[in-house]
């Protein structure tokens, strides 16, 4: 690499790091152990076109932010096939629509494994392609299974992947708990150069044990959060089972509202979800 190119690249990366876009791998002294993962649960979404998600694996959150999830989201979550169904080609489609429905002007879907798949520690991954556009908020994430009794953030939250639709080349991974919730969550971003997360499928994963959480995109480890990092801010609440959630929100504190240029419908396409121990 000639000196001019190297100098330019160095300045470019420095700017991106200041913006929180460029992600470096972990310190090479932190080696990943040999991991012999065993599959404990999966959904390959191999149903016929228009089929709803397998009721033995997923349930739904129905309604609006008034039902308790807040965040100033604008959508009404439904269980209708037009918002969540298989495409007949091995994918699940979660589709946000601009339409008047009950109390909302947008609809979408939010599915979860609560009471079905709840696991402590392991590898949790999904291969998916995101939607895009101002005000779109796709996410693959987890909540502590004690959320109904401990409430949030004491139950803990692990955001494996969330994305602002207006910046479709950057994903964020975050954990929330007592002392580090909301805007103070512990997080990192991972950006793509010359590509976007809505252009092709990527695998998003977290590997979680009693001492740390490792976040990956396509097996690239871009963030490690140690238990000691968490305890310097608040309480470590990641020693209980968690369940999975997939959703596409419209609007909210994280992304802002859609605008006149936001294209609808918008779909998150999920190839598979797999869980290992």
């Amino acid at each position: 690499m000639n000196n001019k190119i190297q100098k330019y690249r160095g300045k470019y990366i420095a700017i991106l790091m200041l913006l929180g876009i460029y992600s470096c791998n972990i310190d090479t002294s932190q080696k990943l152990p040999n991991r012999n993962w065993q599959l404990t649960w999966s959904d390959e979404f191999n149903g016929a076109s228009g089929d709803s998600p397998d009721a033995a694996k997923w349930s739904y959150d129905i309604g609006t932010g008034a039902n308790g999830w807040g965040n100033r989201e604008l959508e009404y979550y439904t269980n209708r096939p037009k918002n969540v169904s298989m495409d007949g080609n091995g994918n699940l489609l979660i589709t946000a629509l601009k339409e008047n429905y009950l109390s909302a002007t947008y609809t979408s879907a939010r599915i979860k494994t609560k009471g079905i798949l709840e696991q402590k520690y392991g590898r949790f991954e999904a291969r998916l392609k995101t939607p895009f556009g101002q005000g779109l908020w796709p996410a693959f994430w987890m909540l502590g299974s004690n959320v109904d009794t401990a409430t949030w953030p004491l139950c803990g939250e692990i955001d494996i992947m969330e994305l602002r639709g207006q910046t479709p080349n950057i994903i964020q991974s975050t954990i929330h708990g007592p002392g580090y919730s909301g805007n103070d969550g512990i997080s990192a971003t991972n950006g793509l150069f010359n590509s976007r997360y809505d252009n092709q499928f990527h695998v998003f994963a977290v590997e979680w044990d009693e001492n740390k959480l490792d976040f990956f995109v396509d097996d690239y480890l871009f963030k490690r959060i140690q238990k000691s990092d968490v305890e310097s801010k608040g309480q470590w609440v990641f020693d209980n089972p968690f369940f999975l959630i997939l959703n596409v929100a419209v609007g909210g504190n994280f992304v802002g509202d859609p605008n006149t240029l936001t294209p609808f419908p918008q779909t998150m396409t999920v190839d598979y979800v797999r869980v290992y121990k």
Side-chain angles (χ1 to χ4, degrees), residues 129-161:
K129 184 164 56 174
T130 68
F132 72 96
Q134 167 68 42
L136 272 296
W137 183 2
F140 170 47
W141 53 298
M142 305 168 70
L143 280 175
S145 59
N146 60 344
V147 60
D148 292 333
T149 55
T151 69
W152 188 91
L154 186 59
C155 65
E157 177 178 328
I158 303 170
D159 299 326
I160 303 170
M161 183 286 301

Side-chain angles (χ1 to χ4, degrees), residues 37-59:
W37 295 118
Q38 295 183 343
L39 187 69
T40 58
W41 183 94
S42 69
D43 198 337
E44 306 297 320
F45 303 116
N46 289 325
S49 178
D51 280 0
S52 295
D54 186 346
K57 296 182 176 182
W58 302 96
S59 62

Side-chain angles (χ1 to χ4, degrees), residues 18-19 60 88 197:
L18 286 172
L19 294 173
Y60 302 88
Y197 286 107

Side-chain angles (χ1 to χ4, degrees), residues 71 151-157 159 174-187 230 233-235 237-238:
N71 297 319
T151 69
W152 188 91
L154 186 59
C155 65
E157 177 178 328
D159 299 326
T174 307
I175 63 170
H176 302 271
Y180 49 99
S181 61
N183 292 332
D184 295 321
I186 303 171
S187 67
V230 174
K233 292 178 174 288
Q235 182 182 351
V237 289
F238 302 100

Side-chain angles (χ1 to χ4, degrees), residues 43-60 62 78-88 90-95 108-112 246 270:
D43 198 337
E44 306 297 320
F45 303 116
N46 289 325
S49 178
D51 280 0
S52 295
D54 186 346
K57 296 182 176 182
W58 302 96
S59 62
Y60 302 88
I62 304 293
T78 85
N79 59 0
R80 302 176 303 166
K82 67 190 296 185
N83 291 120
V84 56
S85 62
M86 316 290 181
D87 67 357
N91 301 306
L92 176 74
L93 307 178
I94 299 179
T95 302
S108 188
R110 174 165 147 163
I111 62 173
K112 59 188 179 182
L246 286 164
V270 186

Side-chain angles (χ1 to χ4, degrees), residues 69-276:
W69 43 82
N71 297 319
R72 288 189 60 254
E73 297 175 24
L74 302 176
E75 79 292 319
Y76 195 105
Y77 287 127
T78 85
N79 59 0
R80 302 176 303 166
K82 67 190 296 185
N83 291 120
V84 56
S85 62
M86 316 290 181
D87 67 357
N89 295 311
N91 301 306
L92 176 74
L93 307 178
I94 299 179
T95 302
L97 300 168
K98 185 176 183 178
E99 60 175 340
N100 292 318
Y101 185 82
L102 299 179
S103 58
T105 52
Y106 301 92
T107 60
S108 188
R110 174 165 147 163
I111 62 173
K112 59 188 179 182
T113 64
K114 183 181 179 185
I116 302 169
L117 180 277
E118 298 178 349
Q119 181 174 304
K120 180 174 73 170
Y121 310 146
R123 177 179 169 94
F124 304 78
E125 68 177 25
R127 183 174 186 265
L128 61 87
K129 184 164 56 174
T130 68
F132 72 96
Q134 167 68 42
L136 272 296
W137 183 2
F140 170 47
W141 53 298
M142 305 168 70
L143 280 175
S145 59
N146 60 344
V147 60
D148 292 333
T149 55
T151 69
W152 188 91
L154 186 59
C155 65
E157 177 178 328
I158 303 170
D159 299 326
I160 303 170
M161 183 286 301
E162 56 185 345
L163 175 140
R164 293 179 174 92
Q166 55 266 43
T167 52
N169 65 317
I170 304 168
I171 63 100
Q172 182 167 309
S173 299
T174 307
I175 63 170
H176 302 271
Y180 49 99
S181 61
N183 292 332
D184 295 321
I186 303 171
S187 67
T189 59
N190 189 73
L192 297 177
F193 297 116
N194 301 317
S195 187
R196 300 169 17 162
Y197 286 107
D198 61 303
N199 286 343
Q200 59 188 19
F201 287 95
H202 294 273
V203 178
F204 304 96
V206 64
E207 295 183 2
W208 161 37
D209 63 30
E210 64 271 20
N211 295 310
K212 65 184 180 300
L213 296 107
D214 286 340
F215 292 92
F216 298 82
V217 175
D218 298 326
D219 285 330
Y220 168 71
L221 174 55
F222 71 93
K223 180 63 176 178
R224 169 168 288 173
I225 301 175
Q226 303 271 15
K227 185 176 183 179
S228 58
D229 301 329
V230 174
E231 291 180 334
S232 69
K233 292 178 174 288
Q235 182 182 351
W236 171 269
V237 289
F238 302 100
D239 289 324
N240 297 299
F242 277 56
F243 62 89
L244 294 167
I245 304 171
L246 286 164
N247 70 293
V248 177
V250 181
N253 298 326
F254 185 66
V255 292
D257 294 347
N259 59 27
T260 56
L261 299 179
T262 305
F264 285 94
Q266 281 293 317
T267 299
M268 180 163 71
T269 306
V270 186
D271 179 20
Y272 63 74
V273 178
R274 296 172 184 166
V275 178
Y276 304 83

